[in-house]
């Protein structure tokens, strides 16, 4: 008896959101998506019951904009558990250890159940150290609820329950968006967080606000730029926090430009219909074939290494220096320093004096090269796994083309032949695209963006928004021409 | 035709979590409205308790 038979009773009974019967009108889809978005923002504003007013330090730290959610709220874990579970599934599925055939309905049910179970387990595993290990979510001294008094571990247990319920709710919110709305909940929550930071980065009436800083530079003397050509003036206008932030503005705009451009770069394989003469089509192999979602997974691997460092640091007083040195909650040396990604210009622009004291230039370069290697190779590997597990590989696409009655002009109409042609493009494009996105993510983080959004987060948000736009365009086409729905195979 | 999530022609998968069409008859079904209602109630409940404490 394999693991499938043993786990079947549990996996098939995981609660699922009902599927709509038939087509959901576009307006309804938008309604569901907006509803979930409003609920998400509402829940990010609900503070955990029993948390110390000081709030503590966010375990997700700089990874918050990728992992969504809000520190100290019911949405504490964000999409972290979903991402971690997805990594596990990708690795198991990519290496073909699961033995699940996602074309078989029985295995599809098992896959879905396993996925859900993993997310729930990961929610508990993420929430546990957050609540019980050190200063991430300090409990209030005493909690009085009517005649009940809670102290210490009792409050922590209460907080754990709230975070756990919130985390599972995020999973179901994602499912509602995926089944009833547009795009996916995961994408929606990332976009929501990033846009919020970006807008406040432009409009905020503090030193971080882009427009406000320029008002200060041009009309008041609070920020003095000096000569434009001097070193200090350049630094103030381009790099410094609370300065002109021109570098951040340029990076932000460039990320938008590059992502939209890269989304449109593609190799198009011509197709013609075997029976209907004149019916032609193209199969696009996009440069970013595996989409940018694998990038979340690579970043999340880095994030998990950093969480481990933070948790070790909070639990282990005499942690050896080669493993990690921390000052003010920031890692400044050892293994965990070199494996930490570059988050912002302040992490590496040693000439601005913002880099923590005592870090040598060679150390910074070592950290950049580790980050770069990790992201480029990791990006390529996860892109390959992604393509395999989402049925976008040569074999699966060849079968899809075959089934739709199309063929490549000049070749025999045979799935094997189409697969051979696909094999010339898909694997190469996947690897190049994955590595390229990895490179872009490191670059975006190094130069920083407006509102101190994590560069990778912005990259993800722009790409997801672009995909969403494409999906909405397709939806509207189908609304207007119901015949198209049949062509696209949607009931 | 592949009856997976990619039924929408030849498109890439949209989310990290994958949902297929096939479902087990044993599975517990949740209405999407229930999810939203639960979320709202959870938020209001926790907020109320915070006011009380």
């Amino acid at each position: 008896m394999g693991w499938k038979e043993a786990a079947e009773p549990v996996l098939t009974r995981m609660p699922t959101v009902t599927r709509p019967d038939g087509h959901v009108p576009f307006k309804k889809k938008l309604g569901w998506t907006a509803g979930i978005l409003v609920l998400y923002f509402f829940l990010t504003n609900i503070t955990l019951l029993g948390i110390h007013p000081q709030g503590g330090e966010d375990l997700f730290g700089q990874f918050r904009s990728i992992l969504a959610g809000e520190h100290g709220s019911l949405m504490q874990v964000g999409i972290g558990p979903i991402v971690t579970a997805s990594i596990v599934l990708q690795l198991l599925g990519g290496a073909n250890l699961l033995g699940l055939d996602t074309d078989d309905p029985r295995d599809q049910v098992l896959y879905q159940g396993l996925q859900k179970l993993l997310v729930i387990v990961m929610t508990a595993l993420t929430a546990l150290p957050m609540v019980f290990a050190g200063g991430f979510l300090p409990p209030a001294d005493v909690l009085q609820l009517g005649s009940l008094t809670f102290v210490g571990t009792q409050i922590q247990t209460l907080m754990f329950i709230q975070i756990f319920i919130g985390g599972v709710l995020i999973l179901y919110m994602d499912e509602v968006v995926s089944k009833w709305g547009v795009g996916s909940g995961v994408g929606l929550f990332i976009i929501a967080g990033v846009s919020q930071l970006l807008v406040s980065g432009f409009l905020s009436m503090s030193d971080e606000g882009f427009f406000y800083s320029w008002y200060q530079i041009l009309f008041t003397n609070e920020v003095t730029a000096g000569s434009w050509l001097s070193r200090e003036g350049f630094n103030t206008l381009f790099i410094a926090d609370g300065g002109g932030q021109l570098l951040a503005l340029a990076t932000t705009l460039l990320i938008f430009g590059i992502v939209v451009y890269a989304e449109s770069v593609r190799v198009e394989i011509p197709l013609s219909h075997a029976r209907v003469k004149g019916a032609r089509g193209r199969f696009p192999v996009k440069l970013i074939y595996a989409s940018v979602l694998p990038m979340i997974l690579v970043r999340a691997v880095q994030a998990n290494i950093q969480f481990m460092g933070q948790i070790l640091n909070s639990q282990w007083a005499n942690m050896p220096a080669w493993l990690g040195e921390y000052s003010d909650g920031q890692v400044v040396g050892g293994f965990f320093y070199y494996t930490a990604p570059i988050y912002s210009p302040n992490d590496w622009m040693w000439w601005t004096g913002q880099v923590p004291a005592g870090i040598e230039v060679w150390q910074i370069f070592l950290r950049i090269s580790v980050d770069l290697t990790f992201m480029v190779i990791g990006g390529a590997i996860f892109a390959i796994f992604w393509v395999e597990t989402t049925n976008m590989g040569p074999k699966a696409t060849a079968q899809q083309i075959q089934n739709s009655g199309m063929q490549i002009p000049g070749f025999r109409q045979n799935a094997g032949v189409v697969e051979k042609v696909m094999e010339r493009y898909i694997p190469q494009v996947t690897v190049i695209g994955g590595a390229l996105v990895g490179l872009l993510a490191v670059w975006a983080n190094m130069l920083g963006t407006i509102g101190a959004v994590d560069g990778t987060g912005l990259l993800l948000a722009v790409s997801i928004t672009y995909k969403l736009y494409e999906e909405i365009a397709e939806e509207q086409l189908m609304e207007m021409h119901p015949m198209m729905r049949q062509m696209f195979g949607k009931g | 035709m592949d009856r997976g999530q990619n039924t929408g022609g030849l498109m890439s998968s949209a989310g990290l979590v994958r949902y297929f069409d096939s479902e087990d008859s044993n599975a517990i079904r949740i209405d999407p409205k229930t999810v939203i209602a639960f979320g709202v109630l959870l938020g209001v409940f926790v907020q109320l308790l915070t006011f009380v404490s």
Side-chain angles (χ1 to χ4, degrees):
Chain A
M1 193 167 97
W3 73 269
K4 282 202 246 177
E5 286 74 26
E8 196 176 297
V10 181
L11 295 186
T12 51
R13 281 183 178 77
M14 298 303 281
T16 50
V17 173
T18 37
R19 268 193 180 279
D21 316 315
H23 179 69
V24 183
F26 181 61
K27 273 189 182 157
K28 273 241 168 105
K29 280 194 171 183
L30 274 190
W32 282 113
T33 315
I36 291 288
L37 191 62
V38 172
L39 176 62
Y40 171 77
F41 274 125
F42 168 66
L43 290 175
T44 53
N45 282 305
I46 304 291
T47 314
L48 286 170
L49 178 68
I51 192 173
H52 196 273
Q54 298 294 339
E57 208 175 309
D58 191 0
L59 177 63
F60 282 180
Q62 309 268 10
F63 291 100
R64 189 48 90 178
S65 56
I66 301 177
L67 297 178
E70 181 83 33
H71 177 69
S73 77
L74 286 174
M75 300 281 102
Q76 170 75 25
V77 291
I79 61 165
I82 295 182
V83 174
T84 322
S86 180
I87 293 177
V88 176
L89 268 183
Q90 292 282 321
L91 291 178
L92 290 178
N96 216 357
L97 290 173
L98 287 176
L100 290 175
D101 170 18
T102 43
D103 287 332
D104 175 12
R106 192 79 216 137
D107 282 5
Q108 288 183 353
V109 172
L110 288 180
Y111 184 92
Q112 283 184 127
L114 182 65
Q115 180 174 252
K116 209 158 264 176
L117 186 69
L118 265 178
V119 174
I120 293 172
V121 171
M122 289 301 167
T123 309
L125 287 185
T126 318
L128 271 176
M130 276 177 163
V131 174
F132 293 102
F136 305 118
L137 287 169
D141 300 327
V142 65
L143 180 68
Q144 195 82 39
L145 285 179
S147 59
L148 297 167
T149 312
F150 297 94
V151 284
T153 325
Q154 292 164 329
I155 302 181
Q156 285 180 320
T157 312
L158 266 185
M159 287 203 297
F160 173 78
I161 294 169
Q162 294 171 65
I163 295 174
F164 181 74
I165 296 176
V168 175
L169 189 63
I170 293 176
L171 173 65
Y172 282 98
M173 281 157 75
D174 173 73
E175 195 170 347
V176 171
V177 177
S178 296
K179 286 181 176 171
W180 294 78
V182 191
S184 73
V186 169
L188 192 67
F189 302 149
I190 294 178
I191 299 175
V194 169
S195 324
Q196 203 180 14
L197 281 176
L198 203 61
V199 170
S200 76
F202 272 110
L203 302 180
S204 161
M205 291 303 276
S206 70
D207 285 348
E208 277 85 53
F210 178 77
F211 292 125
Y212 186 69
S213 329
W214 271 97
Y215 166 75
Q216 284 185 318
I217 291 170
L218 295 176
F219 301 110
T220 69
N221 290 325
E222 277 182 60
V223 179
T224 45
S227 163
W228 285 67
L229 295 173
S230 75
R231 197 179 153 154
E232 291 76 36
F234 180 83
N235 195 15
T236 313
L237 289 178
F238 279 82
I239 301 168
D241 284 341
Q245 304 184 40
L246 287 179
L247 184 65
L249 180 70
T251 320
T252 309
L253 294 178
L254 260 178
I255 290 177
F256 274 85
I258 292 176
V259 170
V260 173
Y261 175 72
E263 287 282 355
S264 67
V265 177
R266 59 188 69 187
V267 181
E268 286 182 332
I269 297 169
L271 298 172
S272 65
H273 205 279
R275 302 237 179 89
V276 189
K277 295 286 172 230
R280 289 179 182 281
R282 290 195 199 100
F283 180 79
V285 181
K286 286 183 170 187
L287 175 58
I288 311 183
Y289 188 62
S291 85
V292 290
L293 288 174
M295 201 40 53
I296 305 181
L297 305 182
V298 192
R299 279 290 187 213
V301 173
Q302 287 182 319
N304 279 312
I305 295 175
Q306 290 307 306
F307 300 161
M308 203 154 53
Q310 296 241 8
I311 292 166
L312 276 181
N313 180 48
S314 71
Q315 297 299 305
W316 189 5
N318 306 316
M319 186 154 66
W322 59 265
L323 200 55
E325 283 178 84
Y326 285 80
S327 94
D328 301 330
Q330 255 204 325
V331 63
V332 291
F335 171 78
F336 289 116
Y337 174 76
Y338 297 114
T339 49
I342 303 283
Y343 304 109
S344 68
N346 289 346
D347 286 332
W348 68 280
M349 290 192 180
W350 63 91
W351 63 87
T352 59
Q354 299 278 350
V355 178
I359 290 175
E360 306 283 341
V361 177
W362 66 266
Q363 290 183 297
I364 295 174
F365 273 99
L366 185 58
R367 180 173 163 191
I368 295 178
S369 31
V370 171
D371 190 19
L372 207 56
T373 319
F374 201 92
M375 291 297 284
V376 168
I377 296 179
I381 292 176
F382 273 98
I384 296 171
F385 282 169
W386 186 263
V387 167
E388 273 314 309
T389 49
T390 51
N391 286 339
M392 289 164 68
K395 199 175 169 134
T397 42
Q399 198 57 52
Q400 284 170 32
I401 290 173
Q402 176 78 11
N403 291 346
S404 66
M406 303 294 266
Q407 70 181 89
I408 303 174
F411 289 87
R412 250 182 317 134
Q413 197 196 9
N414 173 307
V417 173
V418 179
E419 187 187 335
K420 278 270 169 353
V421 178
M422 289 295 170
E423 263 171 8
R424 278 190 225 153
Y425 298 102
I426 292 181
Q428 288 87 332
V429 173
T430 306
V431 169
I432 295 171
L436 188 78
V437 177
L439 192 71
L440 268 178
V442 175
W443 165 81
N445 266 22
M446 282 175 77
L447 295 184
T449 56
I450 295 282
V453 189
D454 174 274
T456 312
L458 185 61
L459 192 76
L460 290 170
V462 176
S463 176
I464 296 170
T465 315
Y466 189 83
K467 279 263 156 57
L468 213 56
Y469 157 77
E470 283 185 333
E471 195 175 322
I472 290 175
E474 189 193 314
E475 281 290 332
Q476 282 194 317
L477 195 69
M478 290 189 201
E479 284 295 282
M480 280 187 279
H481 309 281
M483 277 296 286
M484 296 283 282
R485 261 211 306 282
Q486 287 173 352
M487 270 174 66
F488 281 93
K490 282 185 181 170
Chain B
M1 189 72 201
D2 162 38
R3 297 294 296 166
Q5 196 200 0
N6 302 349
T7 14
L10 305 165
M11 259 177 47
S12 63
S13 180
L16 279 176
V17 189
R18 297 180 69 203
Y19 303 101
F20 298 100
D21 281 342
S22 41
E23 267 160 14
D24 197 272
S25 48
N26 288 331
I28 304 156
R29 303 288 151 102
I30 307 172
D31 192 80
K33 285 196 188 96
T34 319
V35 175
I36 293 194
F38 180 80
V40 173
L41 286 180
L42 176 73
V44 171
F45 179 65
V46 170
Q47 194 62 51
L48 277 180
L49 284 186
T50 311
F51 284 138
V52 173
S53 69

